[in-house]
Amino acid sequence: MATPAFLATWIKAQKLRGPRMKDAPTFYRNLEEALDVRRTDHAMATRTQSTWKTGEAVDFCSNDLLSLGSSGKLRAEFLEELARNPDFMLYAGGSRLMDGNYDYIEKVEQEIADFHGAEAALIVNSGCEANGAIFAAIPRPGDAIVYDELVHASTHDGMSHSLALCKMPFRHNDVDSFRDTLASVVDSQPLIRDGSRSVLISVESVYSMDGDICPIEELIDIAKEVCTKGNAVFIVDEAHATGIIGPNGAGLICELGIQNEIAIRLHTFGKALASSGAVILGNQTVRLALLNFARSVIYTTAPSFPAVAAIRSAYNLLKAGATKESQEKIQHLVKHFLTTITSHEIWDEANDMGILSIPVSDNWELRDFVTHIVPVWTRQRYNFWLVFHLQLAKISAFPIDYPVVPKGQSRIRIMFHAGNTEAEVELLANSICEWAKEMMDIEKGGDGSKSKIPKAAQQIYAMMADA
């Protein structure tokens, strides 16, 4: 098996550099020693292109979920949008509160708000910036934040700058834990209890590292029951539902028809919509609060016309129903993968031995829909070994490690795309099972060799020794 360029570059990047920098300036030596901690764990990030971009492998890792980017559909619509606005400026000219506001972005924001059933919208430069803006600007002194323990890192960053001093997590997607946490906040905060301050509840509609869906309707019912003053409000990050779930990809909240139950929604454009940036949805009060209190909005240049035109182009495709077939294709491919892998002859035993686990495969047939994210779990020490096997099988997939996920919860995150084929999905499922069978034989001592390391890992480690 040939080693993909990605692996070759990755192997070189893991070689320790600190010991060779004894005579280097202190500043750079200290940085390299910090990076060596990553290298020791084989977690040093590199700038190399993923193998699917160079045509060496099948894409099961990128965010181009509807394949709007790789298919050229968005490019064609974008060029038409530019042609409809030939006198556009390349730059914004300043922040939204200064010279960076312009008619086109205001028009597109209202179109997006209407599409998602919201009163108002504010486009920002990224989802990370959006979460920072929401949680730093919206909570008022005396408010409290209750959040799912697996919310995005940018939510935590935003909360760290929040005026709300009371911030309490609840166990992931656990409605009983949510009830207990919310009740604890109400009991311990007099201003919450008397209704003069609010509880802001932060969840994600689809969790990016687990692929599971928030039980949002149950949480809303509990919040109404516990917060009898009506002062509990929801903030929902729909980053991974955008374009994938709901009517024409409008998201989980629109799918459930509960737009009026949610105070703030966040949709991002860098995933299924193959663009960049994000939008914060709410009413006019929320929008004004963000414009006046969010430092990441006030002190940064507004999104430029080309960026907003790309966003509008993606929404043009959504509104026209041009992505509906792609939404359905993702549903079909994920279900085909789950059917193929769970019906494989080694699945039950590999699952029982703890070598292979896919949490979202449990009772998937009973769900109304699945998501494009399928995490594959194995023993923690085997995580990279499975990735090595997949990369050498020309499948582009990546391990998810700490600090992206908690320590001891590493997994391989598989991302399905409308552009994938059934044959590629079967290749993925069979490759995973092939590796699992090899590991089962190794653990049982029945592989005919003394090595406790699978063949793909042996090949990669040999290359690392020679690097």
Side-chain angles (χ1 to χ4, degrees), residues 36-306:
D36 277 351
V37 176
R38 289 288 184 92
R39 295 181 178 110
T40 300
D41 293 334
H42 296 163
M44 180 68 178
T46 65
R47 292 180 301 156
T48 186
Q49 289 191 40
S50 296
T51 45
W52 69 267
K53 286 188 174 182
T54 59
E56 296 179 73
V58 180
D59 179 13
F60 281 108
C61 62
S62 85
N63 281 334
D64 187 20
L65 306 170
L66 294 172
S67 299
L68 293 181
S70 59
S71 68
K73 290 180 181 178
L74 183 61
R75 184 191 303 111
E77 180 63 30
F78 175 66
L79 293 176
E80 289 183 17
E81 181 66 15
L82 294 185
R84 288 190 287 266
N85 299 271
D87 298 326
F88 65 87
M89 305 293 281
L90 284 171
Y91 60 93
S95 77
R96 289 299 293 272
L97 300 184
M98 299 292 287
D99 298 318
N101 204 33
Y102 49 100
D103 290 342
Y104 185 83
I105 193 172
E106 292 270 357
K107 181 178 181 180
V108 174
E109 283 174 336
Q110 193 56 55
E111 290 174 354
I112 293 173
D114 293 342
F115 177 78
H116 291 287
E119 181 181 316
L122 181 68
I123 295 175
V124 294
N125 289 305
S126 72
C128 184
E129 183 179 298
N131 269 327
I134 292 167
F135 290 95
I138 296 301
R140 298 294 87 206
D143 286 349
I145 302 174
V146 170
Y147 61 95
D148 188 293
E149 64 183 349
L150 295 188
V151 292
H152 195 266
S154 59
T155 300
H156 287 277
D157 290 344
M159 288 192 293
S160 70
H161 296 288
S162 171
L163 295 176
L165 298 181
C166 178
K167 305 162 202 168
M168 294 185 65
F170 62 93
R171 287 191 300 274
H172 175 56
N173 273 358
D174 187 324
V175 294
D176 292 328
S177 176
F178 172 70
R179 180 190 297 276
D180 292 342
T181 303
L182 190 58
S184 175
V185 169
V186 172
D187 290 342
S188 65
Q189 305 295 314
L191 296 179
I192 301 292
R193 192 165 57 251
D194 69 17
S196 60
R197 292 293 183 271
S198 300
V199 182
L200 284 65
I201 300 163
S202 173
V203 295
E204 299 179 12
S205 54
V206 177
Y207 285 87
S208 60
M209 298 301 146
D210 294 78
D212 51 0
I213 296 170
C214 175
I216 184 66
E217 291 178 301
E218 292 180 75
L219 300 187
I220 291 171
D221 289 342
I222 292 170
K224 289 178 178 178
E225 178 186 331
V226 174
C227 296
T228 57
K229 302 293 185 180
N231 55 335
V233 297
F234 281 82
I235 300 172
V236 181
D237 185 338
E238 293 238 62
H240 275 280
T242 309
I244 303 297
I245 295 173
N248 290 354
L252 178 65
I253 301 307
C254 288
E255 170 69 17
L256 299 175
I258 55 174
Q259 297 93 316
N260 293 335
E261 302 282 358
I262 310 300
I264 299 174
R265 283 175 279 162
L266 163 63
H267 288 269
T268 60
F269 309 136
K271 298 177 175 63
L273 303 194
S275 305
S276 62
V279 68
I280 303 169
L281 303 175
N283 64 14
Q284 292 294 348
T285 300
V286 167
R287 189 173 190 271
L288 285 171
L290 291 166
L291 286 169
N292 281 272
F293 302 144
R295 294 168 69 89
S296 60
V297 174
I298 297 168
Y299 299 111
T300 194
T301 301
S304 65
F305 177 92

Side-chain angles (χ1 to χ4, degrees), residues 375-439:
V376 177
W377 289 66
T378 182
R379 301 197 199 287
Q380 292 296 289
R381 66 183 184 276
Y382 293 172
N383 217 40
F384 272 97
W385 291 356
L386 175 52
V387 171
F388 293 157
H389 185 92
L390 294 176
Q391 289 282 348
L392 293 179
K394 300 187 182 303
I395 294 169
S396 189
F398 289 96
I400 305 296
D401 278 310
Y402 176 83
V404 178
V405 292
K407 288 183 178 179
Q409 295 187 28
S410 299
R411 78 289 304 262
I412 292 91
R413 184 178 69 161
I414 306 297
M415 303 281 277
F416 289 83
H417 312 86
N420 290 131
T421 65
E422 284 191 358
E424 290 170 347
V425 167
E426 290 163 8
L427 171 66
L428 172 65
N430 291 330
S431 295
I432 292 172
C433 290
E434 178 185 59
W435 173 84
K437 177 64 166 62
E438 184 180 6
M439 294 311 305

